[in-house]
Amino acid sequence: MTRPFSLAECDALGFDLDHTLCRYNLPESARLIYDSFARYLVTEKGYDKELLTVTPESWDFCCKGLALDLEDGNFFKLAGDGTILRASHGTKSMTPEEILEIYGRREWKHFKTFSGMVSRSAKYYCYDNYFDLPGALLCARIVDCLDKHDRQTKYDFWKDVIAAIQHNYKTSAFKENGGAYFPEVKNDPAKYLQSCPESVKKWLRQLKNAGKVLLLITSSHSDYCRLLCEHILGNDFAELFDIVITNALKPGFFSHTPNQRPFRTLENDEEQEALPSLDKPGWYSQGNATHLYELLKKMTGKPEPKVVYFGDSMHSDIFPARHYSNWETVFILEELRGDEVMMLVETESEPLEKKGKYEGHHPKAPYSVSKQWGSFFVDSISGLESTEETLTDTWSCKCISAYSTIAIPSIEAIADLPLDYRFTRFSSNSLETAGYYPKPPRVLLSNGFRLNNVSKHMRLKSKVSKEMPAIRAELFPTLNINIELSPHRRGMQLPVILVCLHTSPSELQEDHSLPT
């Protein structure tokens, strides 16, 4: 059995800020990010003014996990093995026939470096967080505009997009009111930021009182970090954290050596001299996980303190914290709220456009399912004429189970749980749905999908008949349930039973330690 995960066993808890502790009003922030980049490209780089106008329907293009080939202007949704599930040129979807003709069933040409989470590439870009998604729509529309004049064989717009990002997010922009993004957020933070729930504030204080070391590690600069934290947590937010690290430049914070990325002190939000080591708690800039861990050893008095890190970006938070630092990781995945959106749509008696709360020209909720790109978690592989269509994990879904300890829709989802709550973790020894809390996405509970994939995870045909009594006793210690499997289907029915366990664990086990 895979051991459960508990916050009570962790010595230090680290948090990303944007879209982790600080949640944004996504429709408003997405539009602001898009407008700030588009305005720069039109006024400073001479791009088509058409980019400034966005229809509500256009936002359906936004979907986390897409890869953009910077040379040919094509976007891809990838399977776990690197083959292409869906694609578009600009915003225009490619047909399955076009995908097969151009790419076949081969691994995407950049997949080896892409799957290795290579930090930067001149060949492609991966859109894996909500700050990125408006840029995906913008780049797709740039391709559309360029093609209107003359279809390109190779595109060269990416350098201009980078210039737009730097113009709006550079270190001095907040202080100087440069660009369009920071001045707008400073002027009306409540429009773009959600207040932190009281349950989360209470939970942070509870962790602190339990003797945990609390870390805030964000790539945002100190002045913007302060604005966010004061708005969502209050003016005394710094009392919640033992160490605050801004401008962390993740994923380099985890992957770089101390010589490459030393810590720096701050004075009036300006970075000062580099530090040879990190000797005490406080507020710092840049830095590296190696020196931070040495300080945590001193603070906890333990030779190997256990650290867990919460973040919303697989590329910048989850993968590097796990791969380079071997920290436990909690993936904040708002796509888990997609079921709520689907249920709302299914139960509304009137069309959505007639409901007041849906009025206005706002982007869709980014965690809802894109009509163009489909589920974030799975997709179909179009079969040949004589074969049936089958479902497979997306690359994004594969990464979740590979690099996350657990995945949750928000910190609020676990804030009311006792600190010693025992979560079922992702593990190579368990089903891919194991680490989702409070429950897996409904699409992953599909019997058809799970049965298509069970052979990859469980080799049970020869074992189930021997182990079923023990499994029954462990999973159902207080219930008088008789499980009988026919010899020919034993290897396929057990995963379905485990799926049932995930849907209502509280009914089955009161100690919160559902085994896998």
Side-chain angles (χ1 to χ4, degrees):
M1 287 293 177
T2 302
R3 64 182 179 85
F5 167 70
S6 172
L7 294 176
E9 297 174 359
C10 297
D11 302 296
L13 292 85
F15 300 92
D16 175 44
L17 180 58
D18 298 285
H19 299 290
T20 298
L21 270 180
C22 177
R23 293 175 62 186
Y24 287 73
N25 296 320
L26 293 174
E28 287 78 11
S29 63
R31 185 58 197 252
L32 174 61
I33 293 168
Y34 180 96
D35 287 347
S36 64
F37 294 167
R39 197 179 310 170
Y40 176 86
L41 291 172
V42 171
T43 59
E44 301 297 327
K45 299 294 182 180
Y47 280 78
D48 197 320
K49 291 182 179 179
E50 183 180 332
L51 294 176
L52 298 176
T53 304
V54 187
T55 64
E57 296 77 19
S58 299
W59 293 100
D60 182 69
F61 185 84
C62 294
C63 178
K64 278 164 64 174
L66 299 182
L68 166 61
D69 189 310
L70 299 174
E71 292 185 340
D72 62 22
N74 292 344
F75 289 79
F76 305 104
K77 181 183 182 182
L78 299 174
D81 62 1
T83 54
I84 296 170
L85 296 171
R86 302 194 191 198
S88 73
H89 180 72
T91 62
K92 183 182 178 183
S93 293
M94 295 184 186
T95 65
E97 293 74 22
E98 288 174 325
I99 295 173
L100 281 174
E101 180 182 349
I102 298 172
Y103 298 103
R105 296 185 181 278
R106 301 182 303 275
E107 179 184 281
W108 180 46
K109 61 184 177 180
H110 298 307
F111 186 68
K112 282 186 173 58
T113 52
F114 180 86
S115 61
M117 302 284 180
V118 172
S119 192
R120 292 287 181 266
S121 172
K123 301 294 185 181
Y124 64 83
Y125 188 81
C126 176
Y127 294 91
D128 90 327
N129 62 73
Y130 288 130
F131 272 144
D132 278 343
L133 291 189
L137 175 60
L138 179 61
C139 287
R141 298 191 69 216
I142 288 172
V143 172
D144 292 346
C145 288
L146 293 174
D147 285 352
K148 280 199 316 182
H149 302 291
D150 183 24
R151 177 67 181 257
Q152 314 278 309
T153 54
K154 282 192 175 182
Y155 294 83
D156 192 32
F157 61 83
W158 186 245
K159 65 181 188 302
D160 296 329
V161 174
I162 293 298
I165 294 172
Q166 292 174 341
H167 173 72
N168 282 280
Y169 292 153
K170 62 185 177 181
T171 308
S172 61
F174 186 94
K175 183 177 294 185
E176 298 172 355
N177 281 327
Y181 180 82
F182 288 131
E184 182 64 25
V185 177
K186 289 165 70 175
N187 181 58
D188 191 2
K191 179 179 179 180
Y192 301 102
L193 308 175
Q194 297 183 25
S195 296
C196 185
E198 287 301 319
S199 62
V200 174
K201 297 178 185 178
K202 179 181 177 182
W203 179 74
L204 291 171
R205 290 190 290 268
Q206 183 183 7
L207 289 167
K208 188 88 169 176
N209 293 336
K212 308 300 181 184
V213 178
L214 298 191
L215 318 167
L216 182 61
I217 307 174
T218 174
S219 290
S220 290
H221 296 290
S222 57
D223 44 16
Y224 186 56
C225 170
R226 185 176 290 104
L227 171 73
L228 298 184
C229 289
E230 287 179 350
H231 183 79
I232 67 168
L233 295 171
N235 293 335
D236 59 349
F237 75 92
E239 297 176 4
L240 293 171
F241 302 100
D242 297 276
I243 301 171
V244 176
I245 301 168
T246 56
N247 196 26
L249 302 174
K250 297 173 294 181
F253 178 85
F254 296 102
S255 62
H256 284 30
T257 65
N259 288 337
Q260 292 172 310
R261 190 69 60 75
F263 278 97
R264 296 178 180 275
T265 56
L266 285 162
E267 187 174 319
N268 296 323
D269 293 318
E270 297 288 339
E271 292 182 349
Q272 304 300 306
E273 74 280 358
L275 300 175
S277 63
L278 196 62
D279 298 323
K280 60 182 179 180
W283 190 311
Y284 300 95
S285 188
Q286 297 196 38
N288 60 87
T290 301
H291 276 170
L292 173 60
Y293 196 66
E294 291 301 315
L295 176 58
L296 291 177
K297 291 179 183 179
K298 297 177 184 177
M299 294 177 68
T300 62
K302 296 183 178 181
E304 294 183 350
K306 186 173 181 179
V307 186
V308 59
Y309 188 65
F310 293 70
D312 71 297
S313 170
M314 180 58 64
H315 176 267
S316 297
D317 299 320
I318 302 304
F319 170 80
R322 170 61 59 84
H323 181 74
Y324 296 106
S325 298
N326 198 32
W327 291 359
E328 302 277 18
T329 52
V330 177
F331 191 28
I332 305 298
L333 185 65
E334 290 203 36
E335 280 69 18
L336 290 176
R337 297 182 61 197
D339 281 358
E340 300 171 20
V341 175
M342 291 168 62
M343 290 176 67
L344 178 65
V345 173
E346 290 168 0
T347 56
E348 288 287 358
S349 58
E350 294 182 79
L352 294 183
E353 60 267 22
K354 291 186 179 181
K355 297 292 184 178
K357 59 187 172 182
Y358 292 100
E359 291 173 358
H361 300 295
H362 294 297
K364 69 183 179 72
Y367 45 77
S368 62
V369 176
S370 164
K371 295 177 182 177
Q372 181 165 355
W373 294 105
S375 169
F376 173 81
F377 301 96
V378 302
D379 213 333
S380 59
I381 303 175
S382 298
L384 301 176
E385 291 183 2
S386 60
T387 61
E388 293 184 358
E389 190 177 73
T390 58
L391 291 174
T392 187
D393 285 330
T394 61
W395 167 245
S396 298
C397 185
K398 182 178 179 181
C399 288
I400 294 169
S401 58
Y403 303 117
S404 309
T405 303
I406 61 172
I408 59 178
S410 65
I411 292 177
E412 186 179 7
I414 65 170
D416 290 327
L417 298 176
L419 294 186
D420 60 355
Y421 186 99
R422 292 191 288 171
F423 297 90
T424 303
R425 64 169 65 229
F426 289 111
S427 166
S428 59
N429 299 322
S430 62
L431 290 175
E432 293 176 357
T433 56
Y436 291 103
Y437 181 89
K439 60 183 179 180
R442 287 197 293 174
V443 69
L444 293 186
L445 296 179
S446 159
N447 285 353
F449 175 72
R450 293 269 63 89
L451 292 179
N452 282 333
N453 287 273
V454 67
S455 61
K456 295 190 299 182
H457 307 287
M458 309 183 77
R459 310 296 183 186
L460 294 172
K461 285 203 171 185
S462 63
K463 297 172 59 180
V464 169
S465 59
K466 299 177 183 178
E467 298 183 1
M468 182 52 70
I471 292 173
R472 181 176 61 225
E474 182 164 5
L475 295 183
F476 303 97
T478 62
L479 300 180
N480 183 20
I481 294 179
N482 186 30
I483 303 174
E484 295 293 340
L485 302 179
S486 66
H488 298 293
R489 296 188 57 80
R490 284 171 179 161
M492 297 181 70
Q493 287 192 0
L494 181 59
V496 178
I497 294 169
L498 292 178
V499 165
C500 292
L501 292 175
H502 275 293
T503 60
S504 55
S506 60
E507 296 177 9
L508 298 173
Q509 207 151 303
E510 295 180 356
D511 67 355
H512 314 303
S513 58
L514 180 66
T516 55

